[in-house]
Amino acid sequence: MNRIIVLDPESLASRRIEAVLEASGYTPVPITDASTLPQHAATAALLLCPFERQREAAVGHSLPTILLDAAADIRRAVIGIKAGASDYLAADCSDQVLTDSIERVLAEAAELESALPVLGASDAMQTLASTIAKVAPTDSPVLITGETGTGKELVARALHASSHRRLAPLISFNCATVPEDLIEGELFGHSSDGRGGLVATATGGTLFLDEIGELPAGAQGRLLHALETDQDIRLISATHRDLDTLVEHGQFRNDLYYRLKVIALAVPPLKDRGGDILLLAEEILTRTLSKLGKQGLTFADAARDDMRRYPWPGNVRELENAIQRAVILADSGEITTELLAIEPPKETTPELPGKTSPDQTIEDYFVSFVTAHQDSMTETELAEKLGISRKSLWERRQRLNIPRTKTKKRGRRRDVS
């Protein structure tokens, strides 16, 4: 999509702008009425807007916006960015400055768009994405919780990328990877050499403190002081630990905890995201193939079934590692369960009412169970009782020649005249 809307073209010297856009391979779409923006936004990638019309132009669409201002100054730039603009330029900026800004803003939008699908399409993750969209424009501290490997850093990056601070740096620091006696120096600097710490570096931007539960007591106090002195940073923190329990046992400051937890976001484990597992697997496979310069690999049907059933204790990180390993080792066009090196739960065999013969095979048992219960159970219920997927149930029916003759609670079909 290369269409770029130019609002109020006359005030923006549209002929020059349109020429610059066309020379760079974009299609300019000049409009004068901001109320028509929503109908154009669906097929556009970006909005160029005069500073004075930002407020009316912000309604009814989510296009990234570059403000152009004839009276450009720092104060107005801050106002524009805080109001949600992706960039702010002087109206008489050079052609190169304009095209560089457009390319950067579109690249950031594409990165965010590709990041959010990785969060998933399940109800739980769509709710999380919706909350991110509401929270991101604020400066409120956010505490992200979830198991290791669920994608807490991705959530932090999405929050920063959707905020008015996106042009400033996102400074990330993992509290669990630095020795305790060095953490304070890294965060708050060293008075001996005058070197500033990461808190100062993040001024104007976002500071992401991963594994905040590992922060030692001294650093907790200094961080609380930094927050109370109203330094210009947006703090996002994350942990896989239960901070309530740490507070209860005196291992984490109660006052700091409540400063961090103004907004709490919980990232569910991968096993609770339903169809997201295969959605994520396809996305990761595409990225991995591109990164490793390979092509033509797909998941075998059995591997797909096993990925759905496997509990993924290492969450998204384990899924990424499994797929990367499989791509590296694959010799054929399919990725198998063996290449993924996962072992889904064994299929369990439920007990039938009454006694079963000790000589009865699994297939004998399957036939007897299905034929005895298919008139009173749906296919989903049969599969659940047998501990297998509906697909596996159907495949075994075909192999063992057990046709489906009736469906539970389905009456005789009546002709409608």
mmCIF file of all heavy atoms in Angstrom, residues 161-199:
data_model
loop_
_atom_site.group_PDB
_atom_site.id
_atom_site.type_symbol
_atom_site.label_atom_id
_atom_site.label_comp_id
_atom_site.label_asym_id
_atom_site.label_seq_id
_atom_site.Cartn_x
_atom_site.Cartn_y
_atom_site.Cartn_z
ATOM 1 N N ALA A 161 6.130 1.559 20.998
ATOM 2 C CA ALA A 161 5.951 1.906 19.584
ATOM 3 C C ALA A 161 4.628 2.608 19.326
ATOM 4 O O ALA A 161 4.496 3.348 18.344
ATOM 5 C CB ALA A 161 6.053 0.647 18.723
ATOM 6 N N SER A 162 3.645 2.413 20.206
ATOM 7 C CA SER A 162 2.333 3.048 20.024
ATOM 8 C C SER A 162 2.184 4.311 20.867
ATOM 9 O O SER A 162 1.108 4.907 20.892
ATOM 10 C CB SER A 162 1.224 2.058 20.403
ATOM 11 O OG SER A 162 1.287 0.899 19.615
ATOM 12 N N SER A 163 3.250 4.716 21.551
ATOM 13 C CA SER A 163 3.173 5.864 22.450
ATOM 14 C C SER A 163 3.695 7.134 21.778
ATOM 15 O O SER A 163 4.321 7.090 20.720
ATOM 16 C CB SER A 163 3.979 5.593 23.719
ATOM 17 O OG SER A 163 5.377 5.706 23.454
ATOM 18 N N HIS A 164 3.478 8.280 22.425
ATOM 19 C CA HIS A 164 4.005 9.531 21.898
ATOM 20 C C HIS A 164 5.514 9.642 22.118
ATOM 21 O O HIS A 164 6.146 10.571 21.619
ATOM 22 C CB HIS A 164 3.294 10.733 22.537
ATOM 23 C CG HIS A 164 3.543 10.892 24.007
ATOM 24 N ND1 HIS A 164 4.683 11.486 24.506
ATOM 25 C CD2 HIS A 164 2.814 10.511 25.081
ATOM 26 C CE1 HIS A 164 4.628 11.486 25.826
ATOM 27 N NE2 HIS A 164 3.510 10.896 26.199
ATOM 28 N N ARG A 165 6.088 8.665 22.831
ATOM 29 C CA ARG A 165 7.534 8.643 23.073
ATOM 30 C C ARG A 165 8.290 7.796 22.050
ATOM 31 O O ARG A 165 9.478 7.557 22.201
ATOM 32 C CB ARG A 165 7.821 8.091 24.477
ATOM 33 C CG ARG A 165 7.285 8.959 25.604
ATOM 34 C CD ARG A 165 7.466 8.284 26.968
ATOM 35 N NE ARG A 165 7.002 9.132 28.046
ATOM 36 C CZ ARG A 165 7.764 9.970 28.739
ATOM 37 N NH1 ARG A 165 9.055 10.062 28.457
ATOM 38 N NH2 ARG A 165 7.258 10.714 29.698
ATOM 39 N N ARG A 166 7.605 7.349 21.012
ATOM 40 C CA ARG A 166 8.220 6.389 20.097
ATOM 41 C C ARG A 166 9.442 6.945 19.364
ATOM 42 O O ARG A 166 10.271 6.171 18.884
ATOM 43 C CB ARG A 166 7.185 5.902 19.078
ATOM 44 C CG ARG A 166 6.546 6.989 18.263
ATOM 45 C CD ARG A 166 5.454 6.432 17.355
ATOM 46 N NE ARG A 166 4.613 7.492 16.831
ATOM 47 C CZ ARG A 166 3.540 7.961 17.446
ATOM 48 N NH1 ARG A 166 3.190 7.433 18.611
ATOM 49 N NH2 ARG A 166 2.822 8.932 16.925
ATOM 50 N N LEU A 167 9.554 8.275 19.250
ATOM 51 C CA LEU A 167 10.726 8.845 18.599
ATOM 52 C C LEU A 167 11.926 8.890 19.540
ATOM 53 O O LEU A 167 13.060 9.069 19.103
ATOM 54 C CB LEU A 167 10.430 10.259 18.090
ATOM 55 C CG LEU A 167 9.306 10.373 17.058
ATOM 56 C CD1 LEU A 167 9.149 11.817 16.610
ATOM 57 C CD2 LEU A 167 9.574 9.474 15.857
ATOM 58 N N ALA A 168 11.677 8.761 20.842
ATOM 59 C CA ALA A 168 12.740 8.709 21.852
ATOM 60 C C ALA A 168 13.126 7.250 22.075
ATOM 61 O O ALA A 168 12.428 6.331 21.633
ATOM 62 C CB ALA A 168 12.257 9.350 23.143
ATOM 63 N N PRO A 169 14.238 6.990 22.771
ATOM 64 C CA PRO A 169 14.699 5.607 22.903
ATOM 65 C C PRO A 169 13.868 4.755 23.851
ATOM 66 O O PRO A 169 13.260 5.259 24.795
ATOM 67 C CB PRO A 169 16.126 5.776 23.440
ATOM 68 C CG PRO A 169 16.118 7.088 24.143
ATOM 69 C CD PRO A 169 15.190 7.962 23.351
ATOM 70 N N LEU A 170 13.841 3.455 23.559
ATOM 71 C CA LEU A 170 13.352 2.443 24.500
ATOM 72 C C LEU A 170 14.594 1.773 25.073
ATOM 73 O O LEU A 170 15.328 1.089 24.354
ATOM 74 C CB LEU A 170 12.467 1.417 23.799
ATOM 75 C CG LEU A 170 12.119 0.162 24.606
ATOM 76 C CD1 LEU A 170 11.247 0.516 25.809
ATOM 77 C CD2 LEU A 170 11.411 -0.872 23.736
ATOM 78 N N ILE A 171 14.841 1.973 26.359
ATOM 79 C CA ILE A 171 16.012 1.406 27.021
ATOM 80 C C ILE A 171 15.582 0.166 27.790
ATOM 81 O O ILE A 171 14.734 0.240 28.680
ATOM 82 C CB ILE A 171 16.661 2.428 27.981
ATOM 83 C CG1 ILE A 171 17.006 3.721 27.246
ATOM 84 C CG2 ILE A 171 17.891 1.825 28.633
ATOM 85 C CD1 ILE A 171 17.993 3.561 26.124
ATOM 86 N N SER A 172 16.150 -0.991 27.430
ATOM 87 C CA SER A 172 15.791 -2.255 28.076
ATOM 88 C C SER A 172 16.903 -2.718 29.001
ATOM 89 O O SER A 172 18.081 -2.632 28.657
ATOM 90 C CB SER A 172 15.520 -3.336 27.018
ATOM 91 O OG SER A 172 14.440 -2.976 26.195
ATOM 92 N N PHE A 173 16.503 -3.236 30.165
ATOM 93 C CA PHE A 173 17.477 -3.725 31.138
ATOM 94 C C PHE A 173 16.885 -4.929 31.848
ATOM 95 O O PHE A 173 15.777 -4.863 32.389
ATOM 96 C CB PHE A 173 17.811 -2.628 32.155
ATOM 97 C CG PHE A 173 18.812 -3.053 33.211
ATOM 98 C CD1 PHE A 173 20.164 -3.137 32.909
ATOM 99 C CD2 PHE A 173 18.396 -3.356 34.497
ATOM 100 C CE1 PHE A 173 21.083 -3.507 33.877
ATOM 101 C CE2 PHE A 173 19.308 -3.736 35.467
ATOM 102 C CZ PHE A 173 20.655 -3.813 35.157
ATOM 103 N N ASN A 174 17.607 -6.062 31.830
ATOM 104 C CA ASN A 174 17.153 -7.275 32.492
ATOM 105 C C ASN A 174 17.809 -7.369 33.866
ATOM 106 O O ASN A 174 19.026 -7.558 33.979
ATOM 107 C CB ASN A 174 17.495 -8.511 31.651
ATOM 108 C CG ASN A 174 16.798 -9.759 32.169
ATOM 109 O OD1 ASN A 174 16.782 -10.019 33.363
ATOM 110 N ND2 ASN A 174 16.237 -10.545 31.269
ATOM 111 N N CYS A 175 17.013 -7.223 34.902
ATOM 112 C CA CYS A 175 17.539 -7.192 36.271
ATOM 113 C C CYS A 175 18.122 -8.528 36.709
ATOM 114 O O CYS A 175 18.854 -8.589 37.708
ATOM 115 C CB CYS A 175 16.430 -6.777 37.241
ATOM 116 S SG CYS A 175 15.678 -5.173 36.885
ATOM 117 N N ALA A 176 17.807 -9.615 35.998
ATOM 118 C CA ALA A 176 18.279 -10.939 36.398
ATOM 119 C C ALA A 176 19.618 -11.297 35.776
ATOM 120 O O ALA A 176 20.212 -12.308 36.140
ATOM 121 C CB ALA A 176 17.243 -12.000 36.022
ATOM 122 N N THR A 177 20.124 -10.486 34.852
ATOM 123 C CA THR A 177 21.349 -10.859 34.129
ATOM 124 C C THR A 177 22.578 -10.075 34.567
ATOM 125 O O THR A 177 23.668 -10.322 34.072
ATOM 126 C CB THR A 177 21.150 -10.657 32.608
ATOM 127 O OG1 THR A 177 20.860 -9.275 32.351
ATOM 128 C CG2 THR A 177 20.020 -11.525 32.091
ATOM 129 N N VAL A 178 22.404 -9.145 35.491
ATOM 130 C CA VAL A 178 23.525 -8.315 35.959
ATOM 131 C C VAL A 178 23.774 -8.620 37.432
ATOM 132 O O VAL A 178 22.816 -8.699 38.221
ATOM 133 C CB VAL A 178 23.206 -6.817 35.762
ATOM 134 C CG1 VAL A 178 24.346 -5.948 36.304
ATOM 135 C CG2 VAL A 178 22.970 -6.518 34.288
ATOM 136 N N PRO A 179 25.041 -8.819 37.832
ATOM 137 C CA PRO A 179 25.335 -9.080 39.247
ATOM 138 C C PRO A 179 24.742 -8.000 40.151
ATOM 139 O O PRO A 179 24.720 -6.813 39.795
ATOM 140 C CB PRO A 179 26.866 -9.067 39.298
ATOM 141 C CG PRO A 179 27.289 -9.448 37.918
ATOM 142 C CD PRO A 179 26.254 -8.855 37.013
ATOM 143 N N GLU A 180 24.273 -8.424 41.324
ATOM 144 C CA GLU A 180 23.568 -7.519 42.229
ATOM 145 C C GLU A 180 24.376 -6.273 42.568
ATOM 146 O O GLU A 180 23.832 -5.170 42.669
ATOM 147 C CB GLU A 180 23.199 -8.287 43.511
ATOM 148 C CG GLU A 180 22.367 -7.488 44.482
ATOM 149 C CD GLU A 180 21.877 -8.326 45.651
ATOM 150 O OE1 GLU A 180 21.593 -9.531 45.431
ATOM 151 O OE2 GLU A 180 21.793 -7.796 46.764
ATOM 152 N N ASP A 181 25.703 -6.429 42.730
ATOM 153 C CA ASP A 181 26.513 -5.275 43.144
ATOM 154 C C ASP A 181 26.772 -4.288 42.000
ATOM 155 O O ASP A 181 27.318 -3.212 42.219
ATOM 156 C CB ASP A 181 27.849 -5.750 43.726
ATOM 157 C CG ASP A 181 28.645 -6.596 42.745
ATOM 158 O OD1 ASP A 181 28.032 -7.183 41.835
ATOM 159 O OD2 ASP A 181 29.871 -6.665 42.891
ATOM 160 N N LEU A 182 26.359 -4.652 40.782
ATOM 161 C CA LEU A 182 26.572 -3.761 39.642
ATOM 162 C C LEU A 182 25.284 -3.105 39.144
ATOM 163 O O LEU A 182 25.336 -2.179 38.326
ATOM 164 C CB LEU A 182 27.208 -4.538 38.478
ATOM 165 C CG LEU A 182 28.580 -5.173 38.737
ATOM 166 C CD1 LEU A 182 29.054 -5.911 37.491
ATOM 167 C CD2 LEU A 182 29.592 -4.103 39.143
ATOM 168 N N ILE A 183 24.145 -3.588 39.619
ATOM 169 C CA ILE A 183 22.867 -3.105 39.093
ATOM 170 C C ILE A 183 22.671 -1.608 39.328
ATOM 171 O O ILE A 183 22.282 -0.868 38.425
ATOM 172 C CB ILE A 183 21.697 -3.906 39.694
ATOM 173 C CG1 ILE A 183 21.637 -5.299 39.062
ATOM 174 C CG2 ILE A 183 20.369 -3.191 39.476
ATOM 175 C CD1 ILE A 183 20.487 -6.157 39.536
ATOM 176 N N GLU A 184 22.936 -1.132 40.552
ATOM 177 C CA GLU A 184 22.708 0.285 40.843
ATOM 178 C C GLU A 184 23.544 1.178 39.948
ATOM 179 O O GLU A 184 23.076 2.217 39.461
ATOM 180 C CB GLU A 184 22.994 0.575 42.322
ATOM 181 C CG GLU A 184 21.923 0.025 43.257
ATOM 182 C CD GLU A 184 22.045 0.585 44.660
ATOM 183 O OE1 GLU A 184 22.090 1.817 44.807
ATOM 184 O OE2 GLU A 184 22.107 -0.217 45.604
ATOM 185 N N GLY A 185 24.789 0.800 39.717
ATOM 186 C CA GLY A 185 25.651 1.588 38.850
ATOM 187 C C GLY A 185 25.126 1.631 37.428
ATOM 188 O O GLY A 185 25.171 2.673 36.768
ATOM 189 N N GLU A 186 24.629 0.486 36.939
ATOM 190 C CA GLU A 186 24.095 0.445 35.581
ATOM 191 C C GLU A 186 22.846 1.316 35.438
ATOM 192 O O GLU A 186 22.671 2.004 34.436
ATOM 193 C CB GLU A 186 23.749 -0.999 35.192
ATOM 194 C CG GLU A 186 24.944 -1.900 34.983
ATOM 195 C CD GLU A 186 25.779 -1.467 33.787
ATOM 196 O OE1 GLU A 186 25.196 -1.122 32.746
ATOM 197 O OE2 GLU A 186 27.010 -1.449 33.917
ATOM 198 N N LEU A 187 22.008 1.295 36.459
ATOM 199 C CA LEU A 187 20.759 2.044 36.369
ATOM 200 C C LEU A 187 20.923 3.530 36.672
ATOM 201 O O LEU A 187 20.312 4.376 36.006
ATOM 202 C CB LEU A 187 19.719 1.451 37.323
ATOM 203 C CG LEU A 187 19.103 0.111 36.929
ATOM 204 C CD1 LEU A 187 18.162 -0.381 38.029
ATOM 205 C CD2 LEU A 187 18.347 0.219 35.614
ATOM 206 N N PHE A 188 21.752 3.838 37.672
ATOM 207 C CA PHE A 188 21.800 5.220 38.165
ATOM 208 C C PHE A 188 23.136 5.916 37.951
ATOM 209 O O PHE A 188 23.301 7.075 38.314
ATOM 210 C CB PHE A 188 21.430 5.244 39.653
ATOM 211 C CG PHE A 188 20.118 4.567 39.934
ATOM 212 C CD1 PHE A 188 20.079 3.297 40.487
ATOM 213 C CD2 PHE A 188 18.921 5.185 39.610
ATOM 214 C CE1 PHE A 188 18.875 2.656 40.733
ATOM 215 C CE2 PHE A 188 17.713 4.551 39.848
ATOM 216 C CZ PHE A 188 17.679 3.284 40.408
ATOM 217 N N GLY A 189 24.089 5.223 37.328
ATOM 218 C CA GLY A 189 25.360 5.843 37.008
ATOM 219 C C GLY A 189 26.387 5.702 38.116
ATOM 220 O O GLY A 189 26.122 5.173 39.191
ATOM 221 N N HIS A 190 27.605 6.186 37.829
ATOM 222 C CA HIS A 190 28.726 6.105 38.774
ATOM 223 C C HIS A 190 29.210 7.510 39.084
ATOM 224 O O HIS A 190 29.651 8.240 38.190
ATOM 225 C CB HIS A 190 29.867 5.279 38.168
ATOM 226 C CG HIS A 190 29.463 3.876 37.798
ATOM 227 N ND1 HIS A 190 29.585 2.812 38.658
ATOM 228 C CD2 HIS A 190 28.900 3.379 36.660
ATOM 229 C CE1 HIS A 190 29.138 1.717 38.058
ATOM 230 N NE2 HIS A 190 28.726 2.034 36.846
ATOM 231 N N SER A 191 29.137 7.896 40.345
ATOM 232 C CA SER A 191 29.585 9.238 40.729
ATOM 233 C C SER A 191 31.084 9.405 40.544
ATOM 234 O O SER A 191 31.581 10.511 40.327
ATOM 235 C CB SER A 191 29.213 9.502 42.206
ATOM 236 O OG SER A 191 29.772 8.499 43.050
ATOM 237 N N SER A 192 31.837 8.297 40.608
ATOM 238 C CA SER A 192 33.297 8.377 40.504
ATOM 239 C C SER A 192 33.764 8.871 39.141
ATOM 240 O O SER A 192 34.729 9.635 39.036
ATOM 241 C CB SER A 192 33.923 7.012 40.800
ATOM 242 O OG SER A 192 33.410 6.044 39.896
ATOM 243 N N ASP A 193 33.093 8.448 38.085
ATOM 244 C CA ASP A 193 33.522 8.856 36.749
ATOM 245 C C ASP A 193 32.509 9.745 36.031
ATOM 246 O O ASP A 193 32.700 10.119 34.872
ATOM 247 C CB ASP A 193 33.820 7.627 35.880
ATOM 248 C CG ASP A 193 32.632 6.691 35.751
ATOM 249 O OD1 ASP A 193 31.505 7.107 36.117
ATOM 250 O OD2 ASP A 193 32.810 5.547 35.294
ATOM 251 N N GLY A 194 31.418 10.081 36.737
ATOM 252 C CA GLY A 194 30.436 10.978 36.144
ATOM 253 C C GLY A 194 29.591 10.349 35.050
ATOM 254 O O GLY A 194 28.845 11.045 34.362
ATOM 255 N N ARG A 195 29.725 9.039 34.880
ATOM 256 C CA ARG A 195 28.964 8.370 33.823
ATOM 257 C C ARG A 195 27.516 8.182 34.251
ATOM 258 O O ARG A 195 27.235 7.673 35.336
ATOM 259 C CB ARG A 195 29.606 7.013 33.503
ATOM 260 C CG ARG A 195 28.901 6.247 32.392
ATOM 261 C CD ARG A 195 29.791 5.126 31.870
ATOM 262 N NE ARG A 195 30.113 4.158 32.897
ATOM 263 C CZ ARG A 195 29.354 3.087 33.156
ATOM 264 N NH1 ARG A 195 28.246 2.885 32.456
ATOM 265 N NH2 ARG A 195 29.715 2.227 34.090
ATOM 266 N N GLY A 196 26.581 8.628 33.415
ATOM 267 C CA GLY A 196 25.170 8.497 33.738
ATOM 268 C C GLY A 196 24.680 7.078 33.568
ATOM 269 O O GLY A 196 25.278 6.264 32.850
ATOM 270 N N GLY A 197 23.577 6.759 34.213
ATOM 271 C CA GLY A 197 23.015 5.418 34.117
ATOM 272 C C GLY A 197 21.881 5.353 33.105
ATOM 273 O O GLY A 197 21.571 6.322 32.407
ATOM 274 N N LEU A 198 21.246 4.187 33.055
ATOM 275 C CA LEU A 198 20.192 3.958 32.069
ATOM 276 C C LEU A 198 18.944 4.791 32.344
ATOM 277 O O LEU A 198 18.213 5.148 31.412
ATOM 278 C CB LEU A 198 19.831 2.472 32.036
ATOM 279 C CG LEU A 198 20.948 1.535 31.578
ATOM 280 C CD1 LEU A 198 20.469 0.087 31.612
ATOM 281 C CD2 LEU A 198 21.420 1.902 30.181
ATOM 282 N N VAL A 199 18.692 5.108 33.626
ATOM 283 C CA VAL A 199 17.534 5.941 33.948
ATOM 284 C C VAL A 199 17.684 7.302 33.280
ATOM 285 O O VAL A 199 16.746 7.828 32.672
ATOM 286 C CB VAL A 199 17.373 6.093 35.474
ATOM 287 C CG1 VAL A 199 16.300 7.113 35.800
ATOM 288 C CG2 VAL A 199 17.017 4.751 36.111
#
